[in-house]
Amino acid sequence: MTQLIQLERAANVRELGGYQTTNGTTIKRNKLIRSAAINELTASDQAVLANYGVNQVIDFRSIAEANAQPDRPIATAKQLFLPIFKEDETMVSLSPESLKQRLEDGEDAEEQMKKVYRHFVESDYARQQYRQFFDHVIDNAEGEGATLFHCTAGKDRTGFGAFLLLHVLAVAPTTIKEDYLATNRYLAPMLKEKFAPMTQRLPQELLTAITVLMSAKESFLDESLAAIDQHFGSVDQYLSQGLGVTKEEQAYLTAQLTE
């Protein structure tokens, strides 16, 4: 069984359905989909996602990212704009020229990504946005509709959202981490197409930085986990105290989204 939903012009579009839980149940398919940007969907892609049951799209990108590359609509779905950060802290959406300037100004790609993952936990604004994310998933949990949530690469803001959902649904930590790291495999073809023409003209330090920014690294997610332990004590406490997701809401999600 594959998690990948194969589309013509969108990468890293994946089912969370099919994962086994530690309770002996399975996450339902056609309910939760994580994705990279969907601004280049073809008519065929739009039809695939509509037929898949997508009736809600949650866009985690910043205002600037969404304005620069608006989502292609899915006929059956309402669009919900929910920027995790007011400005894109991941630097994934930067042009090579802008990234080069940031590096020349002294920024370090790996340290920036670690800071991003701490901000998922430490930023009041980010926590409010992830709380709203849970509200939308809860609202759409009953019935046949599927929620698709995405950012630009579908690995950081989306990856952390998937991590939280899978934890609530009692998926084993090793499986959650495997789902997070699978981005590296599913983004590879798109990255090769996008960056291969640049390899001969960009300096090595810039190519290295791009590789870091476009990778899902275990050390990045570990930054979030360390921040959770430091500020809340556990992921369960982060969910209940940091996001305000109640035990009753978590039980409802489990009842609706697993079988």
Side-chain angles (χ1 to χ4, degrees), residues 81-251:
F81 182 57
L82 191 63
I84 297 301
F85 301 125
K86 294 178 181 178
E87 297 181 2
D88 176 23
E89 296 187 14
T90 68
M91 301 201 297
V92 168
S93 62
L94 291 178
S95 67
E97 293 74 18
S98 297
L99 179 57
K100 183 172 184 293
Q101 186 60 55
R102 296 275 289 268
L103 294 172
E104 289 175 350
D105 290 342
E107 291 201 48
D108 180 274
E110 185 136 359
E111 287 306 310
Q112 177 62 25
M113 292 309 301
K114 289 181 177 180
K115 184 166 70 173
V116 165
Y117 277 75
R118 292 195 296 271
H119 282 182
F120 291 148
V121 178
E122 297 170 347
S123 164
D124 291 340
Y125 182 83
R127 290 200 307 274
Q128 291 167 11
Q129 300 302 85
Y130 278 118
R131 167 68 249 197
Q132 288 189 57
F133 170 54
F134 270 94
D135 288 338
H136 294 313
V137 173
I138 289 167
D139 289 344
N140 207 40
E142 187 177 7
E144 300 300 319
T147 296
L148 183 151
F149 57 101
H150 80 92
C151 51
T152 294
K155 70 180 187 70
D156 304 314
R157 292 162 287 189
T158 297
F160 189 71
F163 159 76
L164 295 176
L165 281 177
L166 292 174
H167 178 88
V168 165
L169 298 176
V171 174
T174 52
T175 303
I176 295 175
K177 193 159 284 190
E178 287 169 2
D179 177 80
Y180 169 75
L181 293 172
T183 278
N184 296 321
R185 180 166 72 255
Y186 293 126
L187 274 185
M190 182 271 284
L191 295 179
K192 183 177 181 180
E193 175 187 344
K194 182 176 181 179
F195 293 111
M198 303 180 187
T199 56
Q200 299 302 316
R201 61 181 179 85
L202 293 181
Q204 184 57 48
E205 65 269 19
L206 186 56
L207 292 173
T208 300
I210 289 171
T211 300
V212 169
L213 293 175
M214 298 306 294
S215 298
K217 299 181 70 170
E218 192 167 339
S219 59
F220 295 162
L221 189 57
D222 285 345
E223 288 289 324
S224 293
L225 295 173
I228 286 171
D229 286 343
Q230 178 184 352
H231 297 286
F232 297 97
S234 68
V235 178
D236 288 334
Q237 291 286 86
Y238 168 78
L239 285 160
S240 61
Q241 296 178 7
L243 302 189
V245 181
T246 67
K247 292 295 183 184
E248 291 76 16
E249 289 171 324
Q250 295 182 48

